Amino acid sequence: MNHLKNISQRGTLPALRQCALAAAAACALVFAAGNAAAQAAPASTTDSAMVKLIRGLIQSGTLAKDVGEALLAQAQTEAMAAQVAAQQAQRMAASTTAASAVAAGSAGGVRLEAGDVRVPYISQTVRDQIRDEVKAQVMAQAKDEGWAAPNETPEWSKRIRVEGDVRVRNESRGYAGNNSNIEINWAELNKGSGYDVNPNTNLALPSILNTREDRRNLFRARARLGVYADLTENTKAGVRLASGSDESPVSTTQTLGGGLSKKSVWLDQMWISHKPVDWLTVTAGRFGNPFMSTDLLYSNDLNFDGIAAQFEKKLASNRDLSLFGTLGLIPLEYSSDNAPSRSQTKMKSENKWLLGAQFGADWKIDEDNRVRGALAYYNFRNISGQVSQPCALYAGADGCSTDWSRPAFMQKGNTLMLLRDISLDPLNPAGTPQPQYVGLASKFRLIDLNLRWDTAVAGNNLRLDANFVKNTAYDSRDIWNRAGLRGAIVNNFGATGGTGQSDFKSGGNAYMVQATYGKPAPTARGDWNVLAGYKRIEPDAMPDGYNDSTFHGGGTNARGYFLGGSYAIDKNMWFTGRWISTKEVYGPPQAIDTLQLEFNARF
């Protein structure tokens, strides 16, 4: 007795009572469903009593809510199956009665009078077969429609998946003490109403980049969350949100701090894709990079607007060799509908485009060796700066004719030119303000060659990457002549301080080599890799607004090496360390060392 008392005090008896009652309810449910077809009472009566019993157990707390709901769903399903089986048995009985009556009348047997019912014998085996068939049909329908169990998810939810990642980084940047300290922030200059270059009317310096003061222990973070739907087998759609401190297309990293203020969230992707045939996918909207490339040319965070068609097909003659390619029509910027805003005569449409075409092959040589390569051509149309028609801003002109040609986003490195041909006030020429914008002085038509070789060394994967970019439109004389105005080129001069054509230094080539040993993308606990590489990017090898924002602070006119490694400390969680040391290619000294330590998680 004392032992039972102790058990009761510990709460075991209520638990046993609950299990017993649940078992009793389940047994009653099975008994009622199994015999519903043979009972005279309607199935709905049995069902109602059973439902009331289970609901009472739930309300009293004897049954857990989720267990009770499951029993309710099962009771209703079994009762429905039993009722349909009973109705089918009655129809068979009535049919047999009519046939027997006809047979009896023709044979001279007992003739049934009106109101008489002849009940034939139906064996238990037949009744069980009818019940099982109907039950199977009802349960199949219940599962398809998602009401067989209370916790079953609707069919549409199975076609939607949620993916995301979070990164927390500690970053330090060190600058050489002899760096030039007159590096203008040209992107900032292009904002607002322009920078007045007339020293008689403006003595303030333009915005200047930090080039000498170190920045230590900056905590930064990135978060991305995407929802993707398989609308059909061939049609998909996706939406992704991402963090970011501004509208920069090449970074979604947010610097923490700021008085603990809330952080911004941006719409990072929104796209629809369709596969008209197995080997072709067409994607439209804002989507991830559809081309095979490295961050030498396109940042890993860069997304593309517009439409892209991607194909990939294995050769029938060699299943280890596949061909792939991409065609892209990417709008970079549309001219304003209302420019000039205070003029009755509007400017013509001047839109900027990226037209891209890539073709490549992927060859699995054997189990340990795989080669992938691609050749691409990128035509950046209408992105170069243009000198305006003479504009009399002093007389109230609403901007100048080529203000649209300044880039919407830039980092640094490209050769820049002044855009406005400003007319001077004849009454006060020396005192005429001259607010200027800058634009890209070079044209850009790029050849991009990418090669990758994966092999096995000492039981681990070794990946070798090489990327070469050549701007076929680069011409230093054309750049100088296109600027038109004397002194219109404003940067990329040699370290001597001269500003003549002979002092101008630039180039149109870029390359990168990288070796990665270990697992390139750590996922399982214990996965690791180490990497080393070198980059060289001449000033006008590519538009400076789209490549990696970390190497030399982003942009072009940079060369240097990088080292790094990653280790997965848990499933889909890994630590990464990276050291980057860079210098300028041409011009005044600019040396930057960057250290990044970060935790990454993916879900």
Side-chain angles (χ1 to χ4, degrees):
M1 292 296 292
N2 291 334
H3 178 65
L4 293 176
K5 183 178 180 181
N6 292 335
I7 293 177
S8 177
Q9 289 174 350
R10 289 194 300 266
T12 305
L13 282 178
L16 292 173
R17 187 182 300 113
Q18 179 175 343
C19 293
L21 288 173
C27 291
L29 172 63
V30 174
F31 176 80
N35 292 279
Q39 298 298 323
S44 59
T45 303
T46 305
D47 173 56
S48 177
M50 184 56 62
V51 168
K52 290 180 179 179
L53 171 61
I54 297 173
R55 286 177 177 166
L57 292 175
I58 295 174
Q59 292 175 357
S60 65
T62 305
L63 278 178
K65 185 177 180 181
D66 55 345
V67 176
E69 289 178 347
L71 289 174
L72 278 175
Q74 186 176 354
Q76 293 167 349
T77 302
E78 296 283 1
M80 181 183 297
Q83 186 173 3
V84 173
Q87 292 173 354
Q88 186 170 347
Q90 289 177 2
R91 287 194 296 271
M92 291 180 62
S95 175
T96 305
T97 299
S100 299
V102 173
S106 62
V110 179
R111 182 178 298 277
L112 295 178
E113 301 295 337
D116 292 344
V117 177
R118 185 184 183 92
V119 181
Y121 172 73
I122 302 176
S123 67
Q124 182 63 41
T125 302
V126 175
R127 293 202 301 270
D128 291 344
Q129 183 179 358
I130 295 173
R131 181 196 62 196
D132 292 342
E133 290 178 356
V134 174
K135 177 182 176 182
Q137 294 175 3
V138 174
M139 289 300 295
Q141 180 182 359
K143 290 180 180 179
D144 290 341
E145 297 178 359
W147 51 269
N151 294 325
E152 181 71 14
T153 58
E155 185 275 336
W156 62 266
S157 66
K158 299 176 182 178
R159 295 183 285 106
I160 294 179
R161 66 187 185 278
V162 177
E163 298 178 5
D165 61 82
V166 178
R167 180 180 69 197
V168 179
R169 170 189 292 172
N170 180 274
E171 180 175 313
S172 296
R173 296 191 294 268
Y175 300 92
N178 65 337
N179 282 352
S180 169
N181 63 352
I182 53 171
E183 294 300 308
I184 296 174
N185 186 346
W186 298 106
E188 188 68 25
L189 183 145
N190 266 350
K191 296 179 180 179
S193 57
Y195 173 73
D196 184 4
V197 297
N198 186 349
N200 297 318
T201 56
N202 181 25
L203 296 178
L205 290 174
S207 177
I208 303 295
L209 293 172
N210 172 45
T211 57
R212 292 186 178 179
E213 295 298 327
D214 295 348
R215 292 292 180 262
R216 304 293 185 186
N217 294 319
L218 298 173
F219 278 95
R220 314 186 74 196
R222 182 188 71 181
R224 299 183 295 191
L225 181 65
V227 179
Y228 307 97
D230 298 327
L231 304 180
T232 66
E233 184 178 354
N234 297 319
T235 304
K236 305 179 186 300
V239 176
R240 188 173 77 177
L241 302 177
S243 58
S245 57
D246 53 36
E247 69 273 20
S248 163
V250 296
S251 176
T252 54
T253 301
Q254 171 74 60
T255 301
L256 304 181
L260 303 183
S261 60
K262 294 185 289 293
K263 310 310 175 188
S264 300
V265 175
W266 300 81
L267 187 57
D268 193 42
Q269 289 185 3
M270 44 184 172
W271 52 264
I272 299 173
S273 71
H274 179 68
K275 295 180 66 173
V277 291
D278 289 340
W279 51 269
L280 177 64
T281 301
V282 180
T283 306
R286 179 172 174 81
F287 42 84
N289 184 358
F291 302 100
M292 177 185 175
S293 66
T294 70
D295 62 6
L296 177 75
L297 179 59
Y298 297 132
S299 166
N300 294 328
D301 277 349
L302 181 66
N303 290 295
F304 288 74
D305 300 346
I307 185 169
Q310 298 171 272
F311 76 87
E312 184 166 6
K313 189 173 181 63
K314 292 184 177 180
L315 296 184
S317 58
N318 185 353
R319 305 300 293 177
D320 291 329
L321 179 62
S322 61
L323 304 179
F324 64 90
T326 302
L327 295 175
L329 178 61
I330 313 300
L332 299 175
E333 188 179 355
Y334 296 114
S335 57
S336 173
D337 282 346
N338 296 321
S341 61
R342 296 194 302 270
S343 174
Q344 292 177 305
T345 303
K346 303 301 181 182
M347 63 173 286
K348 67 177 183 178
S349 179
E350 296 284 0
N351 301 326
K352 303 177 183 181
W353 297 88
L354 165 59
L355 308 178
Q358 185 177 68
F359 180 79
D362 192 321
W363 181 23
K364 183 181 178 182
I365 302 173
D366 53 38
E367 291 301 321
D368 293 332
N369 292 275
R370 190 181 196 116
V371 177
R372 184 178 178 88
L375 180 65
Y377 175 74
Y378 302 109
N379 186 357
F380 291 84
R381 296 178 59 87
N382 213 24
I383 71 168
S384 303
Q386 298 183 24
V387 177
S388 73
Q389 297 295 321
C391 53
L393 296 177
Y394 72 91
D398 187 14
C400 297
S401 61
T402 61
D403 288 353
W404 60 269
S405 67
R406 70 189 191 274
F409 178 79
M410 62 169 64
Q411 296 189 89
K412 58 181 172 53
N414 285 161
T415 301
L416 301 174
M417 55 181 279
L418 300 178
L419 298 180
R420 287 174 162 179
D421 183 1
I422 300 174
S423 300
L424 301 180
D425 183 354
L427 299 179
N428 184 20
T432 303
Q434 301 177 41
Q436 279 285 359
Y437 292 128
V438 294
L440 306 181
S442 178
K443 296 179 180 179
F444 296 92
R445 294 189 294 271
L446 312 183
I447 296 294
D448 178 34
L449 176 63
N450 280 274
L451 294 173
R452 170 174 289 177
W453 176 30
D454 283 287
T455 188
V457 175
N460 291 299
N461 186 77
L462 173 63
R463 171 174 290 181
L464 301 176
D465 287 292
N467 186 194
F468 175 75
V469 178
K470 181 177 181 62
N471 180 11
T472 62
Y474 172 77
D475 186 325
S476 60
R477 288 177 298 179
D478 178 66
I479 288 175
W480 192 265
N481 294 332
R482 285 183 61 254
L485 297 175
R486 182 179 180 182
I489 298 297
V490 296
N491 65 337
N492 288 342
F493 294 102
T496 60
T499 59
Q501 185 173 357
S502 60
D503 301 302
F504 174 62
K505 302 293 182 182
S506 185
N509 298 320
Y511 67 87
M512 183 201 79
V513 291
Q514 177 178 317
T516 306
Y517 185 64
K519 192 161 186 180
T523 55
R525 182 175 182 178
D527 288 349
W528 59 272
N529 67 47
V530 292
L531 62 86
Y534 181 86
K535 291 182 185 179
R536 176 186 168 94
I537 315 172
E538 294 176 347
D540 293 307
M542 62 192 68
D544 66 22
Y546 306 117
N547 64 355
D548 178 33
S549 61
T550 297
F551 189 81
H552 203 60
T556 63
N557 194 18
R559 58 188 172 92
Y561 65 89
F562 51 94
L563 306 170
S566 298
Y567 181 81
I569 59 179
D570 207 343
K571 180 180 179 181
N572 290 326
M573 182 176 182
W574 65 98
F575 171 80
T576 295
R578 189 181 300 108
W579 171 263
I580 306 167
S581 182
T582 63
K583 293 182 179 181
E584 78 292 343
V585 177
Y586 301 114
Q590 288 293 324
I592 308 173
D593 293 332
T594 304
L595 174 64
Q596 295 176 335
L597 304 173
E598 59 190 36
F599 283 102
N600 296 268
R602 179 174 53 238
F603 56 89

